[in-house]
Amino acid sequence: MATLIPAISSATRKMTGGERRFAHRLESHLEDDYLCWYDVPVGPRRMHPDFLVLHPRRGLLVVEVKDWKLDTIRKIDKLSVTLLVDGRERREANPLEQARQYAFGVCRLFESDSALVGEPGSACQGKLVFPWGYGVVLANIPRKAFEDTGLANVLPADRVICQDEMVETVEPETFQRRLWGMFGVTFRCLLTLPQIDRVRWHLFPEIRVTQG
């Protein structure tokens, strides 16, 4: 079972229904060596990506979750989406672009840490030693509806997990394939325990106070 930070029990009040279901699926369908963060403020700009998912051999994903229903989407392009909310149109950022920007911001933060980038003279000098990617969960839109409406023209299908792909009965292997299909680039990596601790510290600093 994956570890979620903070625990679902302490975050459930501010989670949407879709975020809660996705959080439960991360816990139940990923192995023990996965670390996941929900809505933690990241970096000096205090970005709030919905979910961050880390695996020592696969890398890091930034995932945005939307509870939209198909009939609430009025129009969408690569930068924005117009939704019908309480009888009024509301414009929001395209969630994939939002996830992409969060991913860039998180990676810039990690690249400032010499423990998480390639050593001088190496092929990945100054670059992260693990792959990263981003994607979107459409918690209330099934895959068939997603395909039939042409949403894939704006939200690439391999970067989207749909409603029927995150139900409790979905096979863990199927869920994981969808998750890791969100990577644009992959390469072999193996984060050490000290490196994982560095990632954890950047995302969710924990300070131990000793009594003197």
Side-chain angles (χ1 to χ4, degrees), residues 26-87:
L26 291 175
E27 275 198 341
S28 64
H29 282 51
L30 301 182
E31 289 86 10
D32 294 348
D33 52 353
Y34 286 81
L35 286 171
C36 309
W37 291 263
Y38 168 71
D39 192 38
V40 295
V42 180
R45 293 175 57 193
R46 298 184 69 80
M47 301 172 293
H48 278 263
D50 288 341
F51 289 90
L52 298 164
V53 182
L54 179 73
H55 187 270
R57 292 181 181 274
R58 292 188 177 271
L60 181 78
L61 280 177
V62 177
V63 183
E64 287 296 296
V65 178
K66 296 300 179 185
D67 283 45
W68 302 336
K69 294 183 178 178
L70 201 57
D71 58 4
T72 65
I73 302 175
R74 285 294 175 259
K75 60 182 178 180
I76 183 170
D77 58 37
K78 292 186 177 181
L79 296 178
S80 66
V81 57
T82 301
L83 303 170
L84 186 65
V85 180
D86 297 329

Tab-separated table of all heavy atoms in Angstrom, residues 26-87:
chain	number	residue	atom	x	y	z
A	26	LEU	N	-4.739	5.284	-5.093
A	26	LEU	CA	-3.285	5.323	-4.939
A	26	LEU	C	-2.856	4.434	-3.784
A	26	LEU	O	-1.893	3.665	-3.892
A	26	LEU	CB	-2.811	6.761	-4.694
A	26	LEU	CG	-2.937	7.741	-5.865
A	26	LEU	CD1	-2.545	9.150	-5.407
A	26	LEU	CD2	-2.071	7.315	-7.048
A	27	GLU	N	-3.567	4.536	-2.679
A	27	GLU	CA	-3.210	3.722	-1.507
A	27	GLU	C	-3.371	2.236	-1.775
A	27	GLU	O	-2.511	1.427	-1.426
A	27	GLU	CB	-4.080	4.118	-0.312
A	27	GLU	CG	-3.559	5.288	0.475
A	27	GLU	CD	-4.179	5.376	1.855
A	27	GLU	OE1	-5.253	4.777	2.084
A	27	GLU	OE2	-3.594	6.041	2.712
A	28	SER	N	-4.475	1.867	-2.404
A	28	SER	CA	-4.799	0.447	-2.529
A	28	SER	C	-4.162	-0.232	-3.732
A	28	SER	O	-3.953	-1.447	-3.712
A	28	SER	CB	-6.320	0.270	-2.599
A	28	SER	OG	-6.856	0.892	-3.762
A	29	HIS	N	-3.821	0.536	-4.789
A	29	HIS	CA	-3.373	-0.074	-6.034
A	29	HIS	C	-1.893	0.150	-6.342
A	29	HIS	O	-1.419	-0.249	-7.400
A	29	HIS	CB	-4.222	0.435	-7.200
A	29	HIS	CG	-5.572	-0.227	-7.284
A	29	HIS	ND1	-6.421	-0.322	-6.213
A	29	HIS	CD2	-6.207	-0.850	-8.323
A	29	HIS	CE1	-7.531	-0.956	-6.584
A	29	HIS	NE2	-7.421	-1.284	-7.850
A	30	LEU	N	-1.187	0.809	-5.429
A	30	LEU	CA	0.253	0.981	-5.581
A	30	LEU	C	0.973	0.254	-4.449
A	30	LEU	O	0.421	0.080	-3.366
A	30	LEU	CB	0.632	2.465	-5.573
A	30	LEU	CG	-0.008	3.343	-6.648
A	30	LEU	CD1	0.512	4.772	-6.532
A	30	LEU	CD2	0.248	2.800	-8.050
A	31	GLU	N	2.223	-0.118	-4.703
A	31	GLU	CA	2.981	-0.874	-3.718
A	31	GLU	C	3.549	0.027	-2.625
A	31	GLU	O	3.460	1.241	-2.672
A	31	GLU	CB	4.110	-1.663	-4.399
A	31	GLU	CG	3.635	-2.843	-5.238
A	31	GLU	CD	3.274	-2.432	-6.657
A	31	GLU	OE1	3.566	-1.275	-7.035
A	31	GLU	OE2	2.687	-3.258	-7.385
A	32	ASP	N	4.185	-0.634	-1.648
A	32	ASP	CA	4.681	0.065	-0.462
A	32	ASP	C	5.776	1.083	-0.763
A	32	ASP	O	6.011	1.986	0.049
A	32	ASP	CB	5.228	-0.938	0.565
A	32	ASP	CG	4.145	-1.844	1.134
A	32	ASP	OD1	2.958	-1.554	0.912
A	32	ASP	OD2	4.495	-2.837	1.795
A	33	ASP	N	6.477	0.944	-1.889
A	33	ASP	CA	7.593	1.849	-2.159
A	33	ASP	C	7.165	3.116	-2.897
A	33	ASP	O	8.011	3.892	-3.339
A	33	ASP	CB	8.716	1.144	-2.927
A	33	ASP	CG	8.230	0.426	-4.182
A	33	ASP	OD1	6.997	0.353	-4.389
A	33	ASP	OD2	9.076	-0.076	-4.943
A	34	TYR	N	5.866	3.337	-3.025
A	34	TYR	CA	5.348	4.581	-3.598
A	34	TYR	C	5.085	5.591	-2.484
A	34	TYR	O	4.545	5.246	-1.432
A	34	TYR	CB	4.032	4.351	-4.337
A	34	TYR	CG	4.144	3.652	-5.664
A	34	TYR	CD1	4.272	2.273	-5.744
A	34	TYR	CD2	4.091	4.373	-6.854
A	34	TYR	CE1	4.353	1.621	-6.963
A	34	TYR	CE2	4.176	3.733	-8.077
A	34	TYR	CZ	4.308	2.359	-8.119
A	34	TYR	OH	4.381	1.717	-9.335
A	35	LEU	N	5.450	6.846	-2.740
A	35	LEU	CA	5.118	7.948	-1.849
A	35	LEU	C	4.229	8.924	-2.614
A	35	LEU	O	4.515	9.259	-3.770
A	35	LEU	CB	6.377	8.676	-1.381
A	35	LEU	CG	7.249	7.964	-0.347
A	35	LEU	CD1	8.562	8.721	-0.175
A	35	LEU	CD2	6.519	7.858	0.986
A	36	CYS	N	3.160	9.382	-1.981
A	36	CYS	CA	2.230	10.307	-2.618
A	36	CYS	C	1.945	11.470	-1.674
A	36	CYS	O	1.848	11.283	-0.454
A	36	CYS	CB	0.911	9.601	-2.956
A	36	CYS	SG	1.098	8.060	-3.883
A	37	TRP	N	1.830	12.657	-2.251
A	37	TRP	CA	1.509	13.854	-1.471
A	37	TRP	C	0.239	14.470	-2.022
A	37	TRP	O	0.055	14.547	-3.238
A	37	TRP	CB	2.634	14.881	-1.564
A	37	TRP	CG	3.900	14.490	-0.872
A	37	TRP	CD1	4.307	14.847	0.379
A	37	TRP	CD2	4.955	13.678	-1.406
A	37	TRP	NE1	5.535	14.311	0.657
A	37	TRP	CE2	5.967	13.582	-0.418
A	37	TRP	CE3	5.156	13.013	-2.634
A	37	TRP	CZ2	7.139	12.864	-0.609
A	37	TRP	CZ3	6.310	12.280	-2.836
A	37	TRP	CH2	7.292	12.217	-1.821
A	38	TYR	N	-0.614	14.941	-1.125
A	38	TYR	CA	-1.861	15.601	-1.540
A	38	TYR	C	-1.847	17.063	-1.107
A	38	TYR	O	-1.681	17.373	0.083
A	38	TYR	CB	-3.083	14.903	-0.929
A	38	TYR	CG	-4.354	15.717	-1.082
A	38	TYR	CD1	-4.943	15.872	-2.327
A	38	TYR	CD2	-4.929	16.358	0.011
A	38	TYR	CE1	-6.086	16.646	-2.485
A	38	TYR	CE2	-6.079	17.128	-0.135
A	38	TYR	CZ	-6.655	17.266	-1.378
A	38	TYR	OH	-7.781	18.037	-1.541
A	39	ASP	N	-1.996	17.963	-2.073
A	39	ASP	CA	-2.233	19.390	-1.817
A	39	ASP	C	-1.233	20.003	-0.837
A	39	ASP	O	-1.615	20.749	0.065
A	39	ASP	CB	-3.658	19.587	-1.296
A	39	ASP	CG	-4.078	21.054	-1.293
A	39	ASP	OD1	-3.705	21.771	-2.228
A	39	ASP	OD2	-4.767	21.480	-0.338
A	40	VAL	N	0.038	19.673	-0.998
A	40	VAL	CA	1.040	20.288	-0.128
A	40	VAL	C	1.610	21.535	-0.814
A	40	VAL	O	1.801	21.549	-2.037
A	40	VAL	CB	2.173	19.297	0.221
A	40	VAL	CG1	1.642	18.147	1.047
A	40	VAL	CG2	2.873	18.781	-1.028
A	41	PRO	N	1.868	22.605	-0.068
A	41	PRO	CA	2.450	23.819	-0.660
A	41	PRO	C	3.910	23.575	-1.004
A	41	PRO	O	4.704	23.189	-0.151
A	41	PRO	CB	2.295	24.870	0.440
A	41	PRO	CG	2.225	24.092	1.710
A	41	PRO	CD	1.575	22.776	1.367
A	42	VAL	N	4.284	23.797	-2.257
A	42	VAL	CA	5.623	23.458	-2.735
A	42	VAL	C	6.379	24.715	-3.138
A	42	VAL	O	5.869	25.525	-3.921
A	42	VAL	CB	5.553	22.499	-3.938
A	42	VAL	CG1	6.954	22.153	-4.428
A	42	VAL	CG2	4.802	21.226	-3.570
A	43	GLY	N	7.603	24.851	-2.639
A	43	GLY	CA	8.489	25.919	-3.074
A	43	GLY	C	8.106	27.289	-2.561
A	43	GLY	O	7.087	27.463	-1.874
A	44	PRO	N	8.908	28.303	-2.902
A	44	PRO	CA	8.660	29.669	-2.416
A	44	PRO	C	7.347	30.254	-2.916
A	44	PRO	O	6.765	31.120	-2.266
A	44	PRO	CB	9.867	30.461	-2.948
A	44	PRO	CG	10.428	29.638	-4.073
A	44	PRO	CD	10.143	28.218	-3.711
A	45	ARG	N	6.873	29.779	-4.068
A	45	ARG	CA	5.589	30.270	-4.591
A	45	ARG	C	4.405	29.523	-3.987
A	45	ARG	O	3.258	29.832	-4.267
A	45	ARG	CB	5.559	30.131	-6.115
A	45	ARG	CG	6.551	31.033	-6.825
A	45	ARG	CD	6.561	30.762	-8.320
A	45	ARG	NE	5.240	30.929	-8.901
A	45	ARG	CZ	4.909	30.525	-10.123
A	45	ARG	NH1	5.819	29.928	-10.884
A	45	ARG	NH2	3.697	30.718	-10.592
A	46	ARG	N	4.710	28.517	-3.168
A	46	ARG	CA	3.671	27.720	-2.488
A	46	ARG	C	2.620	27.205	-3.473
A	46	ARG	O	1.418	27.410	-3.317
A	46	ARG	CB	3.027	28.522	-1.345
A	46	ARG	CG	4.030	28.907	-0.268
A	46	ARG	CD	3.401	29.611	0.902
A	46	ARG	NE	2.541	28.723	1.690
A	46	ARG	CZ	2.969	27.855	2.585
A	46	ARG	NH1	4.274	27.714	2.803
A	46	ARG	NH2	2.124	27.119	3.265
A	47	MET	N	3.111	26.537	-4.496
A	47	MET	CA	2.222	25.890	-5.465
A	47	MET	C	1.463	24.760	-4.768
A	47	MET	O	1.987	24.133	-3.852
A	47	MET	CB	3.040	25.318	-6.632
A	47	MET	CG	3.853	26.329	-7.388
A	47	MET	SD	4.954	25.530	-8.598
A	47	MET	CE	6.087	24.682	-7.506
A	48	HIS	N	0.261	24.479	-5.219
A	48	HIS	CA	-0.554	23.436	-4.600
A	48	HIS	C	-1.025	22.415	-5.644
A	48	HIS	O	-2.218	22.364	-5.973
A	48	HIS	CB	-1.765	24.042	-3.896
A	48	HIS	CG	-1.482	24.574	-2.541
A	48	HIS	ND1	-1.710	23.863	-1.375
A	48	HIS	CD2	-0.954	25.760	-2.152
A	48	HIS	CE1	-1.361	24.594	-0.335
A	48	HIS	NE2	-0.896	25.747	-0.773
A	49	PRO	N	-0.127	21.596	-6.180
A	49	PRO	CA	-0.599	20.521	-7.068
A	49	PRO	C	-1.495	19.575	-6.285
A	49	PRO	O	-1.301	19.364	-5.083
A	49	PRO	CB	0.699	19.840	-7.508
A	49	PRO	CG	1.718	20.202	-6.484
A	49	PRO	CD	1.327	21.553	-5.965
A	50	ASP	N	-2.490	19.015	-6.961
A	50	ASP	CA	-3.404	18.104	-6.260
A	50	ASP	C	-2.658	16.898	-5.702
A	50	ASP	O	-2.773	16.580	-4.518
A	50	ASP	CB	-4.521	17.636	-7.208
A	50	ASP	CG	-5.522	18.735	-7.500
A	50	ASP	OD1	-5.576	19.720	-6.734
A	50	ASP	OD2	-6.249	18.610	-8.501
A	51	PHE	N	-1.897	16.213	-6.567
A	51	PHE	CA	-1.171	15.023	-6.125
A	51	PHE	C	0.233	14.987	-6.729
A	51	PHE	O	0.430	15.360	-7.891
A	51	PHE	CB	-1.902	13.738	-6.535
A	51	PHE	CG	-3.167	13.482	-5.767
A	51	PHE	CD1	-4.382	13.970	-6.227
A	51	PHE	CD2	-3.142	12.753	-4.582
A	51	PHE	CE1	-5.551	13.736	-5.522
A	51	PHE	CE2	-4.309	12.516	-3.867
A	51	PHE	CZ	-5.519	13.002	-4.339
A	52	LEU	N	1.183	14.511	-5.946
A	52	LEU	CA	2.522	14.173	-6.410
A	52	LEU	C	2.738	12.707	-6.099
A	52	LEU	O	2.427	12.249	-4.995
A	52	LEU	CB	3.576	15.025	-5.697
A	52	LEU	CG	3.481	16.531	-5.924
A	52	LEU	CD1	4.309	17.279	-4.890
A	52	LEU	CD2	3.976	16.881	-7.317
A	53	VAL	N	3.238	11.970	-7.066
A	53	VAL	CA	3.429	10.521	-6.913
A	53	VAL	C	4.876	10.190	-7.242
A	53	VAL	O	5.351	10.487	-8.345
A	53	VAL	CB	2.476	9.729	-7.842
A	53	VAL	CG1	2.662	8.228	-7.632
A	53	VAL	CG2	1.025	10.125	-7.594
A	54	LEU	N	5.578	9.582	-6.287
A	54	LEU	CA	7.001	9.276	-6.465
A	54	LEU	C	7.257	7.782	-6.331
A	54	LEU	O	6.752	7.136	-5.407
A	54	LEU	CB	7.827	10.010	-5.414
A	54	LEU	CG	9.348	9.767	-5.466
A	54	LEU	CD1	9.977	10.486	-6.664
A	54	LEU	CD2	10.013	10.218	-4.162
A	55	HIS	N	8.042	7.254	-7.273
A	55	HIS	CA	8.512	5.874	-7.192
A	55	HIS	C	10.014	5.884	-7.458
A	55	HIS	O	10.473	6.533	-8.399
A	55	HIS	CB	7.802	4.984	-8.208
A	55	HIS	CG	8.126	3.532	-8.052
A	55	HIS	ND1	9.182	2.931	-8.700
A	55	HIS	CD2	7.554	2.567	-7.298
A	55	HIS	CE1	9.237	1.656	-8.362
A	55	HIS	NE2	8.260	1.406	-7.513
A	56	PRO	N	10.807	5.174	-6.636
A	56	PRO	CA	12.270	5.268	-6.774
A	56	PRO	C	12.810	4.787	-8.108
A	56	PRO	O	13.890	5.198	-8.528
A	56	PRO	CB	12.791	4.407	-5.614
A	56	PRO	CG	11.643	3.550	-5.202
A	56	PRO	CD	10.414	4.332	-5.488
A	57	ARG	N	12.089	3.908	-8.807
A	57	ARG	CA	12.572	3.391	-10.082
A	57	ARG	C	11.872	4.011	-11.287
A	57	ARG	O	12.268	3.744	-12.428
A	57	ARG	CB	12.390	1.863	-10.139
A	57	ARG	CG	13.282	1.102	-9.175
A	57	ARG	CD	13.076	-0.395	-9.305
A	57	ARG	NE	13.896	-1.142	-8.383
A	57	ARG	CZ	15.152	-1.511	-8.615
A	57	ARG	NH1	15.723	-1.212	-9.779
A	57	ARG	NH2	15.837	-2.187	-7.703
A	58	ARG	N	10.843	4.807	-11.049
A	58	ARG	CA	10.077	5.380	-12.162
A	58	ARG	C	10.154	6.895	-12.221
A	58	ARG	O	10.158	7.477	-13.294
A	58	ARG	CB	8.613	4.932	-12.084
A	58	ARG	CG	8.424	3.440	-12.336
A	58	ARG	CD	6.955	3.109	-12.449
A	58	ARG	NE	6.719	1.706	-12.752
A	58	ARG	CZ	6.654	1.200	-13.978
A	58	ARG	NH1	6.821	2.002	-15.014
A	58	ARG	NH2	6.424	-0.076	-14.164
A	59	GLY	N	10.196	7.553	-11.072
A	59	GLY	CA	10.288	8.995	-11.054
A	59	GLY	C	9.087	9.658	-10.403
A	59	GLY	O	8.408	9.055	-9.563
A	60	LEU	N	8.804	10.890	-10.828
A	60	LEU	CA	7.792	11.718	-10.175
A	60	LEU	C	6.703	12.130	-11.148
A	60	LEU	O	6.980	12.519	-12.287
A	60	LEU	CB	8.444	12.985	-9.606
A	60	LEU	CG	7.507	13.946	-8.878
A	60	LEU	CD1	7.197	13.428	-7.475
A	60	LEU	CD2	8.128	15.340	-8.803
A	61	LEU	N	5.458	12.070	-10.683
A	61	LEU	CA	4.313	12.548	-11.456
A	61	LEU	C	3.583	13.647	-10.706
A	61	LEU	O	3.428	13.589	-9.484
A	61	LEU	CB	3.322	11.406	-11.708
A	61	LEU	CG	3.627	10.416	-12.822
A	61	LEU	CD1	2.555	9.340	-12.849
A	61	LEU	CD2	3.707	11.118	-14.169
A	62	VAL	N	3.113	14.640	-11.458
A	62	VAL	CA	2.227	15.678	-10.938
A	62	VAL	C	0.851	15.443	-11.564
A	62	VAL	O	0.733	15.373	-12.793
A	62	VAL	CB	2.739	17.083	-11.303
A	62	VAL	CG1	1.755	18.141	-10.820
A	62	VAL	CG2	4.130	17.315	-10.720
A	63	VAL	N	-0.165	15.299	-10.730
A	63	VAL	CA	-1.498	14.930	-11.221
A	63	VAL	C	-2.545	15.904	-10.689
A	63	VAL	O	-2.637	16.136	-9.483
A	63	VAL	CB	-1.873	13.496	-10.802
A	63	VAL	CG1	-3.235	13.116	-11.394
A	63	VAL	CG2	-0.801	12.500	-11.246
A	64	GLU	N	-3.324	16.461	-11.611
A	64	GLU	CA	-4.464	17.288	-11.248
A	64	GLU	C	-5.749	16.471	-11.407
A	64	GLU	O	-5.899	15.731	-12.384
A	64	GLU	CB	-4.531	18.529	-12.134
A	64	GLU	CG	-3.468	19.571	-11.831
A	64	GLU	CD	-3.628	20.157	-10.443
A	64	GLU	OE1	-4.663	20.812	-10.175
A	64	GLU	OE2	-2.716	19.961	-9.612
A	65	VAL	N	-6.666	16.610	-10.461
A	65	VAL	CA	-7.925	15.867	-10.467
A	65	VAL	C	-9.083	16.840	-10.655
A	65	VAL	O	-9.174	17.854	-9.956
A	65	VAL	CB	-8.111	15.085	-9.156
A	65	VAL	CG1	-9.458	14.345	-9.162
A	65	VAL	CG2	-6.966	14.094	-8.957
A	66	LYS	N	-9.972	16.523	-11.599
A	66	LYS	CA	-11.150	17.359	-11.841
A	66	LYS	C	-12.417	16.523	-11.714
A	66	LYS	O	-12.509	15.425	-12.266
A	66	LYS	CB	-11.084	17.994	-13.232
A	66	LYS	CG	-9.926	18.969	-13.406
A	66	LYS	CD	-10.014	20.124	-12.420
A	66	LYS	CE	-8.848	21.085	-12.563
A	66	LYS	NZ	-8.873	22.150	-11.523
A	67	ASP	N	-13.382	17.067	-10.998
A	67	ASP	CA	-14.675	16.400	-10.804
A	67	ASP	C	-15.711	16.842	-11.835
A	67	ASP	O	-16.910	16.660	-11.637
A	67	ASP	CB	-15.205	16.696	-9.394
A	67	ASP	CG	-14.515	15.884	-8.326
A	67	ASP	OD1	-13.268	15.779	-8.369
A	67	ASP	OD2	-15.208	15.354	-7.432
A	68	TRP	N	-15.265	17.416	-12.927
A	68	TRP	CA	-16.189	17.900	-13.944
A	68	TRP	C	-17.056	16.770	-14.494
A	68	TRP	O	-16.619	15.633	-14.620
A	68	TRP	CB	-15.432	18.497	-15.126
A	68	TRP	CG	-14.519	19.630	-14.797
A	68	TRP	CD1	-14.594	20.470	-13.731
A	68	TRP	CD2	-13.386	20.036	-15.561
A	68	TRP	NE1	-13.587	21.386	-13.782
A	68	TRP	CE2	-12.827	21.151	-14.892
A	68	TRP	CE3	-12.807	19.585	-16.743
A	68	TRP	CZ2	-11.700	21.802	-15.368
A	68	TRP	CZ3	-11.688	20.241	-17.220
A	68	TRP	CH2	-11.138	21.344	-16.544
A	69	LYS	N	-18.287	17.131	-14.832
A	69	LYS	CA	-19.150	16.243	-15.606
A	69	LYS	C	-19.190	16.753	-17.040
A	69	LYS	O	-18.989	17.946	-17.288
A	69	LYS	CB	-20.550	16.183	-14.999
A	69	LYS	CG	-20.550	15.540	-13.619
A	69	LYS	CD	-21.943	15.420	-13.052
A	69	LYS	CE	-21.897	14.737	-11.686
A	69	LYS	NZ	-23.253	14.637	-11.072
A	70	LEU	N	-19.439	15.856	-17.948
A	70	LEU	CA	-19.342	16.208	-19.366
A	70	LEU	C	-20.260	17.363	-19.728
A	70	LEU	O	-19.885	18.255	-20.498
A	70	LEU	CB	-19.663	14.977	-20.218
A	70	LEU	CG	-19.148	14.989	-21.655
A	70	LEU	CD1	-17.632	15.174	-21.681
A	70	LEU	CD2	-19.548	13.707	-22.363
A	71	ASP	N	-21.464	17.379	-19.161
A	71	ASP	CA	-22.427	18.417	-19.559
A	71	ASP	C	-22.124	19.780	-18.940
A	71	ASP	O	-22.823	20.758	-19.216
A	71	ASP	CB	-23.858	17.991	-19.226
A	71	ASP	CG	-24.061	17.697	-17.739
A	71	ASP	OD1	-23.112	17.899	-16.954
A	71	ASP	OD2	-25.173	17.276	-17.372
A	72	THR	N	-21.083	19.877	-18.102
A	72	THR	CA	-20.707	21.179	-17.552
A	72	THR	C	-19.593	21.842	-18.362
A	72	THR	O	-19.298	23.017	-18.155
A	72	THR	CB	-20.248	21.050	-16.090
A	72	THR	OG1	-19.054	20.268	-16.032
A	72	THR	CG2	-21.316	20.420	-15.236
A	73	ILE	N	-18.982	21.102	-19.288
A	73	ILE	CA	-17.895	21.653	-20.091
A	73	ILE	C	-18.493	22.336	-21.324
A	73	ILE	O	-19.095	21.690	-22.172
A	73	ILE	CB	-16.898	20.566	-20.519
A	73	ILE	CG1	-16.319	19.861	-19.291
A	73	ILE	CG2	-15.775	21.159	-21.355
A	73	ILE	CD1	-15.420	18.686	-19.637
A	74	ARG	N	-18.323	23.641	-21.413
A	74	ARG	CA	-18.841	24.378	-22.546
A	74	ARG	C	-17.834	24.439	-23.688
A	74	ARG	O	-18.158	24.224	-24.841
A	74	ARG	CB	-19.242	25.797	-22.109
A	74	ARG	CG	-20.538	25.827	-21.324
A	74	ARG	CD	-21.691	25.399	-22.239
A	74	ARG	NE	-22.959	25.293	-21.537
A	74	ARG	CZ	-23.493	24.153	-21.141
A	74	ARG	NH1	-22.840	23.013	-21.347
A	74	ARG	NH2	-24.668	24.110	-20.547
A	75	LYS	N	-16.593	24.747	-23.382
A	75	LYS	CA	-15.538	24.730	-24.396
A	75	LYS	C	-14.191	24.591	-23.700
A	75	LYS	O	-14.044	24.956	-22.528
A	75	LYS	CB	-15.577	25.985	-25.272
A	75	LYS	CG	-15.410	27.292	-24.536
A	75	LYS	CD	-15.515	28.465	-25.509
A	75	LYS	CE	-15.406	29.808	-24.759
A	75	LYS	NZ	-15.515	30.953	-25.680
A	76	ILE	N	-13.241	24.072	-24.440
A	76	ILE	CA	-11.920	23.851	-23.869
A	76	ILE	C	-10.876	23.989	-24.976
A	76	ILE	O	-11.090	23.568	-26.111
A	76	ILE	CB	-11.833	22.458	-23.188
A	76	ILE	CG1	-10.468	22.268	-22.522
A	76	ILE	CG2	-12.143	21.336	-24.156
A	76	ILE	CD1	-10.412	21.019	-21.626
A	77	ASP	N	-9.774	24.639	-24.631
A	77	ASP	CA	-8.635	24.689	-25.541
A	77	ASP	C	-7.387	24.326	-24.745
A	77	ASP	O	-7.490	23.896	-23.589
A	77	ASP	CB	-8.508	26.055	-26.229
A	77	ASP	CG	-8.366	27.219	-25.247
A	77	ASP	OD1	-7.697	27.042	-24.204
A	77	ASP	OD2	-8.912	28.299	-25.515
A	78	LYS	N	-6.216	24.505	-25.323
A	78	LYS	CA	-4.993	24.048	-24.670
A	78	LYS	C	-4.602	24.882	-23.461
A	78	LYS	O	-3.741	24.475	-22.683
A	78	LYS	CB	-3.855	23.998	-25.687
A	78	LYS	CG	-4.059	22.926	-26.738
A	78	LYS	CD	-2.868	22.782	-27.658
A	78	LYS	CE	-3.094	21.639	-28.648
A	78	LYS	NZ	-1.933	21.452	-29.543
A	79	LEU	N	-5.220	26.046	-23.301
A	79	LEU	CA	-4.876	26.910	-22.178
A	79	LEU	C	-5.986	27.061	-21.149
A	79	LEU	O	-5.710	27.282	-19.971
A	79	LEU	CB	-4.466	28.297	-22.685
A	79	LEU	CG	-3.200	28.360	-23.538
A	79	LEU	CD1	-2.954	29.796	-23.998
A	79	LEU	CD2	-2.001	27.823	-22.768
A	80	SER	N	-7.234	26.952	-21.583
A	80	SER	CA	-8.331	27.221	-20.659
A	80	SER	C	-9.539	26.357	-20.952
A	80	SER	O	-9.641	25.720	-22.006
A	80	SER	CB	-8.722	28.705	-20.727
A	80	SER	OG	-9.271	29.012	-21.996
A	81	VAL	N	-10.471	26.351	-19.992
A	81	VAL	CA	-11.733	25.638	-20.153
A	81	VAL	C	-12.845	26.527	-19.609
A	81	VAL	O	-12.660	27.235	-18.621
A	81	VAL	CB	-11.711	24.279	-19.413
A	81	VAL	CG1	-11.406	24.456	-17.931
A	81	VAL	CG2	-13.023	23.538	-19.585
A	82	THR	N	-13.992	26.544	-20.300
A	82	THR	CA	-15.157	27.275	-19.830
A	82	THR	C	-16.183	26.275	-19.329
A	82	THR	O	-16.595	25.368	-20.066
A	82	THR	CB	-15.767	28.140	-20.955
A	82	THR	OG1	-14.774	29.069	-21.417
A	82	THR	CG2	-16.970	28.910	-20.443
A	83	LEU	N	-16.593	26.435	-18.065
A	83	LEU	CA	-17.519	25.509	-17.421
A	83	LEU	C	-18.832	26.217	-17.108
A	83	LEU	O	-18.867	27.434	-16.898
A	83	LEU	CB	-16.916	24.981	-16.114
A	83	LEU	CG	-15.565	24.287	-16.189
A	83	LEU	CD1	-15.017	24.049	-14.789
A	83	LEU	CD2	-15.678	22.981	-16.952
A	84	LEU	N	-19.912	25.440	-17.050
A	84	LEU	CA	-21.194	25.953	-16.608
A	84	LEU	C	-21.362	25.577	-15.138
A	84	LEU	O	-21.484	24.396	-14.796
A	84	LEU	CB	-22.328	25.367	-17.443
A	84	LEU	CG	-23.721	25.936	-17.158
A	84	LEU	CD1	-23.777	27.422	-17.530
A	84	LEU	CD2	-24.785	25.146	-17.923
A	85	VAL	N	-21.321	26.578	-14.274
A	85	VAL	CA	-21.393	26.355	-12.825
A	85	VAL	C	-22.534	27.191	-12.256
A	85	VAL	O	-22.524	28.423	-12.366
A	85	VAL	CB	-20.060	26.729	-12.133
A	85	VAL	CG1	-20.159	26.483	-10.629
A	85	VAL	CG2	-18.903	25.947	-12.734
A	86	ASP	N	-23.528	26.517	-11.668
A	86	ASP	CA	-24.686	27.203	-11.085
A	86	ASP	C	-25.345	28.156	-12.080
A	86	ASP	O	-25.718	29.289	-11.746
A	86	ASP	CB	-24.277	27.972	-9.820
A	86	ASP	CG	-23.778	27.051	-8.723
A	86	ASP	OD1	-24.256	25.906	-8.652
A	86	ASP	OD2	-22.888	27.475	-7.957
A	87	GLY	N	-25.437	27.705	-13.327
A	87	GLY	CA	-26.112	28.485	-14.351
A	87	GLY	C	-25.278	29.574	-14.981
A	87	GLY	O	-25.757	30.289	-15.853
